[in-house]
Amino acid sequence: MVQRQLQLLDRVEREEDDPDLVEALAGLESREDHPLRGVVVPLVTGPHRPTSEAVDAAVAEAGADVRVTEALGPHPMLAETLHLRLAEAGFVRADRMRLISVVAPGTQMTDGVVVGAVGGDEGISAAGVTAVLLAARLGITVLPADLEDRGSLDDAFQQLSAAGCARPVIAPCAVGPEFPAERLDELARHYDARASAPLGAGSTLAKIAALRYAEVLNTLGAEVPPTADDVPAPVGSRHRQEE
């Protein structure tokens, strides 16, 4: 039987009083009676080299027999969380039950969104899927761009301008620590745009992390993993079990 230990890494550089992944993995050395001792789910939305390197180093130092999963994204629930962050900031409207956006003219509502990725080309690829799903929810132009690449951002904002967008918003598809808030504010000022809050390590991301963990159990044949409906849905989620 697999020992169920789910480790969530929510930042690469930690304060002295923050939890340490090496300590969390202590005692998870290989054992003959366990096909695997634990699972590490990196709390990032797409491929992110600094996080991957930090996790690999921690696993090696601890000598732990664990498997590291893929990033949380791409996943439809990331688009849902971005939608929530935009709605919380007043940039889009959302139906309280179904999160169906009703974009209306006004100085506050956005008419174009840049989904900001971190992690280079692979990060943009993952964010691109989220951007397509978010565009379907909002009914406006949504484009992915690398927050760490001015050329990528320039191209995205030029496309929004060409599409007639006058009230652009940057929606960071990042948990938070991967891209400092002050840099996000700087980009927003540079492009005369506004920015919504990062995703944050909330209930939706925890739900995706649990699904990543279940996928590992499934590959080991340990047991039938829970479905998405077995994991508690966040408030306002469309992914609810039928009453």
Side-chain angles (χ1 to χ4, degrees):
M1 175 67 88
V2 175
Q3 177 176 335
R4 296 190 176 190
Q5 180 155 340
L6 177 65
Q7 304 297 342
L8 301 182
L9 180 71
D10 61 359
R11 65 180 65 191
V12 176
E13 296 180 356
R14 299 177 177 273
E15 303 290 342
E16 291 184 359
D17 59 347
D18 283 335
D20 183 85
L21 184 57
V22 176
E23 295 177 2
L25 296 176
L28 294 181
E29 295 82 7
S30 178
R31 282 173 46 179
E32 291 185 1
D33 58 338
H34 284 72
L36 189 68
R37 298 299 308 284
V39 178
V40 178
V41 183
L43 196 57
V44 288
T45 59
H48 188 246
R49 181 173 295 178
T51 298
S52 297
E53 292 176 349
V55 172
D56 291 344
V59 171
E61 183 177 345
D65 179 25
V66 299
R67 183 173 302 176
V68 181
T69 72
E70 298 294 330
L72 302 182
H75 193 281
M77 283 188 282
L78 290 179
E80 181 173 305
T81 306
L82 281 178
H83 190 165
L84 281 171
R85 295 292 171 267
L86 290 165
E88 289 168 354
F91 300 147
V92 299
R93 292 179 180 172
D95 178 83
R96 297 180 68 180
M97 293 301 294
R98 293 294 180 179
L99 293 181
I100 300 173
S101 179
V102 181
V103 179
T107 58
Q108 185 70 4
M109 295 294 169
T110 184
D111 52 3
V113 176
V114 172
V115 173
V118 293
D121 291 342
E122 290 184 317
I124 292 181
S125 179
V129 177
T130 302
V132 170
L133 295 172
L134 184 61
R137 298 174 68 90
L138 300 180
I140 59 177
T141 303
V142 181
L143 301 171
D146 187 345
L147 292 174
E148 300 171 314
D149 184 346
R150 285 296 180 91
S152 175
L153 287 165
D154 287 346
D155 182 60
F157 277 100
Q158 287 171 6
Q159 290 186 58
L160 288 181
S161 178
C165 172
R167 300 178 300 278
V169 167
I170 301 174
C173 191
V175 178
E178 313 96 303
F179 197 79
E182 58 270 19
R183 292 179 60 189
L184 182 62
D185 293 339
E186 177 187 341
L187 289 176
R189 289 192 298 270
H190 177 78
Y191 289 102
D192 193 23
R194 296 166 296 169
S196 58
L199 298 173
S203 60
T204 302
L205 267 63
K207 182 175 180 179
I208 303 174
L211 294 174
R212 288 285 180 263
Y213 170 69
E215 289 168 359
V216 174
L217 292 187
N218 190 40
T219 63
L220 295 172
E223 61 180 70
V224 178
T227 66
D229 288 335
D230 294 325
V231 184
V235 176
S237 174
R238 294 185 302 168
H239 301 272
R240 294 183 178 276
Q241 298 184 41
E242 295 297 330
E243 298 293 340

